[in-house]
Amino acid sequence: MKFFFPDSQDQIDPGFDFGTEEHPVLRVRQRDDLYAHEALNGHVIDGLLVSKAIVDGTAGGAGKYTAAQRNRLYRAGVRHFFRLDQAPGPAVQTMGDCGAFNYVREEIPPVTPDQVIDFYVECGFDLGISVDHVIFGFDPAADTDPHHPQREQWRSRQQITLDLADTFLARCKARKTRFGPLGVAQGWSPASYAAAVRTLQKIGYTRIALGGMVPLKTGEILACLRELSAARDPGTQFHLLGITRRSNISQFVSYGVTSFDSTSAFRQAFKDDKDNYHTANRTYTAIRVPQVDGYPRLKAQILAGQVDQDAAIERERACLRALQEYDAGDTSARQVINALQRYNEILGFEDYASAYKEVLDDAPWKTCPCNICAKAGINVLLFRGSERNKRRGFHNLYVFRRRLDRELDARSAV
Ligand SMILES: [Zn+2]
């Protein structure tokens, strides 16, 4: 079971100074900043998923890449751009996709199979996913009810995706491309997904990505996979697009899933309300100490004269000081929480005092074997700015990998 991490140009600067909150004067981002597979010790990801929409942008908006980064990716190729061959452990595979989520509202995909193939060939991907169109919705009733309100749209999107897969594979053959092609199955029910898989196998695909399952409940995903495994030719491999559900991973394997991609462990670090820092057995809430001048609501209150800027900065600094002292063993958890609560009187966040008490008492960063925690100390627990938040995201990836290995080991031991 291979874990692919979707690229969104998330990097950390190893030279960032937590005390002054400044980057080294001579920092060169593209040279000095590190991706997850470089920042973490040991083997963490099996593959990198890079989306054309994130690289090139779409009609609706810019991508995550600057023009210079984009040019360098095309010129140097994906392996060199991400310095993949220097990552520890087995070689990291590269997979390209077209980024269907970015055009989900359009009538038909705005990219052609040849444009996507150009992207895969020029960047030198190992694997490339055909152009697809996401079906948002899940309702087996649409299989049989001719008056189902979504039936026509769903059927049309599935047919578009299958037609594009057909063209994509034919163009790959005509152009003698070397990457491994994946067709995409989109559906709205176990039976409709299975029908898509049968068609893709008939077209000639042995690798099939399963799309549109992100919003489904675990039981619905499993119902689809059961049906799909019955439709699967023995040599066909499934890739689950955007699905984690780590506790079901063994079941996924038994249904023919050989790879998946997910950002959720990483993104929970700074998107979740409370499950921000993961450990082998539980999650903790990150400690919110936003920058006075980096937190829009506070900034607005200062501008409106409702909050005294100097007082806010004084309380923010008191928090940072107390947290560093706590990490050094020079103050108590109670003192830290007092400082946090004083700052929170201004911020007006919900009261996290009991969650903070837990994480301060347990001090999980002190026992984590990942080198992010070893270097950043308590800073990895601070919900504050991208350097700290992304470090916590990378730490979560490290933990995710360990937990995934544990699940898979338990499976193979059975
Ligand atoms: Zn860690």
Side-chain angles (χ1 to χ4, degrees):
M1 183 63 117
K2 290 189 166 147
F3 166 48
F4 282 74
F5 182 58
D7 159 59
S8 192
Q9 281 304 299
D10 292 307
Q11 291 178 280
I12 58 163
D13 173 7
F16 181 76
D17 184 321
F18 293 112
T20 61
E21 309 212 306
E22 280 173 4
H23 296 275
V25 183
L26 299 176
R27 168 202 190 199
V28 178
R29 272 172 195 256
Q30 70 166 71
R31 183 194 64 199
D32 299 329
D33 286 12
L34 302 177
Y35 294 104
H37 56 269
E38 301 177 293
L40 290 160
N41 44 328
H43 172 67
V44 176
I45 62 171
D46 300 303
L48 195 66
L49 177 65
V50 182
S51 171
K52 185 178 187 302
I54 284 183
V55 173
D56 289 341
T58 55
K64 290 258 183 178
Y65 281 58
T66 63
Q69 286 175 318
R70 186 163 57 242
N71 291 338
R72 203 155 50 78
L73 171 63
Y74 276 102
R75 197 177 59 240
V78 64
R79 298 205 75 76
H80 199 253
F81 180 87
F82 286 97
R83 299 182 288 263
L84 290 175
D85 293 320
Q86 288 149 42
V92 176
Q93 275 197 315
T94 57
M95 186 187 284
D97 85 349
C98 54
F101 273 98
N102 293 277
Y103 53 74
V104 70
R105 286 197 183 81
E106 308 207 17
E107 201 70 19
I108 48 166
V111 281
T112 65
D114 267 308
Q115 286 170 332
V116 174
I117 292 170
D118 288 343
F119 171 64
Y120 299 159
V121 170
E122 283 181 49
C123 299
F125 286 97
D126 300 317
L127 300 162
I129 301 182
S130 69
V131 186
D132 65 321
H133 215 12
V134 180
I135 293 173
F136 265 123
F138 185 83
D139 188 1
D143 291 341
T144 48
D145 175 7
H147 305 297
H148 191 282
Q150 319 284 197
R151 181 178 160 104
E152 285 319 307
Q153 196 213 34
W154 289 351
R155 284 162 67 109
S156 144
R157 284 185 172 231
Q158 185 180 61
Q159 196 54 51
I160 289 170
T161 300
L162 293 171
D163 290 345
L164 286 166
D166 195 5
T167 311
F168 181 82
L169 194 60
R171 294 299 301 150
C172 285
K173 283 179 181 156
R175 295 175 59 170
K176 299 190 170 61
T177 55
R178 281 196 265 168
F179 65 83
L182 283 87
V184 184
Q186 294 285 355
W188 57 87
S189 63
S192 61
Y193 270 109
V197 162
R198 283 192 199 94
T199 306
L200 290 166
Q201 291 178 148
K202 234 175 263 164
I203 292 170
Y205 283 99
T206 55
R207 288 194 178 94
I208 296 175
L210 308 175
M213 290 192 179
V214 176
L216 301 198
K217 298 186 183 85
T218 302
E220 294 169 337
I221 295 174
L222 290 171
C224 289
L225 288 174
R226 260 193 297 278
E227 193 97 7
L228 287 175
S229 84
R232 184 175 77 95
D233 292 341
T236 300
Q237 302 182 36
F238 292 139
H239 176 91
L240 272 176
L241 283 165
I243 306 280
T244 316
R245 324 283 165 119
R246 205 199 48 256
S247 48
N248 300 97
I249 222 84
S250 302
Q251 278 168 295
F252 295 166
V253 172
S254 68
Y255 292 136
V257 178
T258 56
S259 57
F260 69 101
D261 63 87
S262 170
T263 50
S264 74
F266 175 73
R267 290 175 62 83
Q268 278 195 323
F270 44 89
K271 291 284 180 195
D272 203 88
D273 287 343
K274 54 183 203 303
D275 298 330
N276 305 121
Y277 179 93
H278 301 182
T279 69
N281 305 308
R282 59 166 294 176
T283 61
Y284 289 97
T285 302
I287 299 172
R288 278 122 173 106
V289 191
Q291 285 133 319
V292 167
D293 55 359
Y295 183 51
R297 200 172 73 192
L298 187 52
K299 233 169 139 178
Q301 286 173 320
I302 289 168
L303 283 173
Q306 294 158 344
V307 169
D308 178 50
Q309 185 172 21
D310 291 340
I313 290 174
E314 197 275 312
R315 290 183 190 197
E316 175 199 9
R317 294 211 177 125
C319 290
L320 293 174
R321 220 168 24 241
L323 285 156
Q324 303 307 330
E325 284 171 8
Y326 184 77
D327 205 14
D330 294 336
T331 193
S332 67
R334 184 33 53 201
Q335 293 296 326
V336 179
I337 289 168
N338 287 347
L340 291 166
Q341 280 179 325
R342 273 176 54 77
Y343 188 26
N344 199 36
E345 285 165 15
I346 294 175
L347 296 167
F349 290 155
E350 68 175 282
D351 185 10
Y352 282 112
S354 63
Y356 291 167
K357 177 92 170 61
E358 271 184 4
V359 72
L360 289 169
D361 285 348
D362 292 358
W365 67 91
K366 292 199 178 208
T367 49
C368 177
C370 95
N371 55 352
I372 294 281
C373 292
K375 286 180 197 152
I378 200 169
N379 288 292
V380 76
L381 250 308
L382 269 58
F383 202 121
R384 175 184 176 87
S386 129
E387 287 293 340
R388 289 182 176 89
N389 291 346
K390 286 187 180 172
R391 274 173 173 74
R392 188 168 53 259
F394 286 179
H395 152 89
N396 285 353
L397 276 181
Y398 178 91
V399 172
F400 176 77
R401 177 81 231 179
R402 296 295 165 288
R403 295 178 76 167
L404 179 66
D405 287 345
R406 204 167 63 184
E407 306 271 347
L408 294 171
D409 285 349
R411 178 180 186 271
S412 56
V414 171

